[in-house]
Amino acid sequence: MTKRKKVGLALGSGAFRGFSLIGALRVLKENNIPIDYISGVSIGSLIGAYYALYGDLDTLEKEIIGHPRAVLPSILDLGLRGGLVSGKKFEAFVEKILGKKEFADTTIPIFISATDLNGGQSYIFTEGKLSKAVRASCSVPMVFEPTKIKNHRLVDGGLSDPMSVDILKKAGADIVIAINLYHKNEFTEKRFTFTKVALRSTRIVMYHLAQASIKNADVVVAPDLSLFVQTNKFRSYFKKEVAEAMIKIGAKEMKKHIDEIKSKL
């Protein structure tokens, strides 16, 4: 009997774009694609941690979609040291979603990446509380206070490695499927304000960092969510119709790659 190849799934950073990961993962499950390892960065860490624990995303979808007035107050609290938001309420929100679970409780091994301000290197979580790791990985600089662990000051993992493909290869994955949430079509708008220049500049940096991160991936899935980038109201991303549209885009893009994935298995 031929031994099947081990599959790693890299879930990238991308803030609101993370809704598309739900659709992409659903298609993988519907097609019985085995997942042996997961890496998650920023929003990918939350989606990845939930999937690694429960193997399904339906409950998570119900928790965060369609309730913008409930979700936002539950994750925002005033920060005074290094960020506008302390991150404590966000961590409690994540713990409510994941449960008081640790890495040892997952059914699929997961690696969660943050960035250490002391040295600028990736910091990989493999043990301890999942909610603490997700909080660190999602801590956008200047928005969230850095997460303090021993001598480390941890912020968003996307700043150092938006995809974390290589960690999956080192763990033993023969095939790595990378879902990259930064798309080249985000750069078509030609009218700029001061704010748009700043946001565009950040997205350009993240796009090129992600391109470098996925160079060793075997399959790259890149849902085009550029239609939603122009929205400046964070609350609107949690509206049911908006989130569901992004989920459908993620599913549609993953379906294009299913035959390729199966052929590599």
Side-chain angles (χ1 to χ4, degrees), residues 140-256:
V140 178
M142 296 174 58
V143 176
F144 286 91
E145 291 183 5
T147 302
K148 299 178 183 179
I149 296 180
K150 297 182 180 179
N151 295 323
H152 304 284
R153 297 294 183 270
L154 305 176
V155 293
D156 197 311
L159 294 179
S160 53
D161 189 0
M163 293 301 304
S164 288
V165 168
D166 291 343
I167 191 68
L168 297 174
K169 293 282 188 178
K170 291 178 182 177
D174 301 299
I175 299 168
V176 172
I177 304 166
I179 306 179
N180 178 19
L181 302 181
Y182 296 102
H183 199 281
K184 63 182 180 180
N185 286 349
E186 293 187 14
F187 311 128
T188 57
E189 172 66 41
K190 293 181 172 60
R191 291 175 295 178
F192 295 103
T193 62
F194 181 84
T195 301
K196 286 184 177 181
V197 169
L199 292 174
R200 172 70 65 86
S201 299
T202 301
R203 290 200 300 271
I204 288 172
V205 171
M206 296 308 298
Y207 171 78
H208 287 288
L209 275 175
Q211 291 299 305
S213 292
I214 61 177
K215 64 182 180 181
N216 291 325
D218 299 282
V219 178
V220 177
V221 181
D224 182 359
L225 302 160
S226 57
L227 176 66
F228 303 94
V229 170
Q230 306 307 323
T231 301
N232 293 319
K233 295 180 180 179
F234 188 74
R235 185 189 300 270
S236 67
Y237 294 125
F238 292 89
K239 290 182 178 178
K240 187 176 179 63
E241 62 274 18
V242 175
E244 287 183 346
M246 287 190 273
I247 290 172
K248 288 179 180 178
I249 289 172
K252 183 178 180 180
E253 191 62 29
M254 181 59 77
K255 286 177 182 177
K256 296 177 183 178

Side-chain angles (χ1 to χ4, degrees), residues 8-30:
L9 179 65
L11 304 178
S13 65
F16 66 89
R17 304 170 186 81
F19 286 116
S20 66
L21 296 175
I22 295 175
L25 276 165
R26 189 168 290 153
V27 171
L28 288 175
K29 185 174 182 179
E30 289 171 353

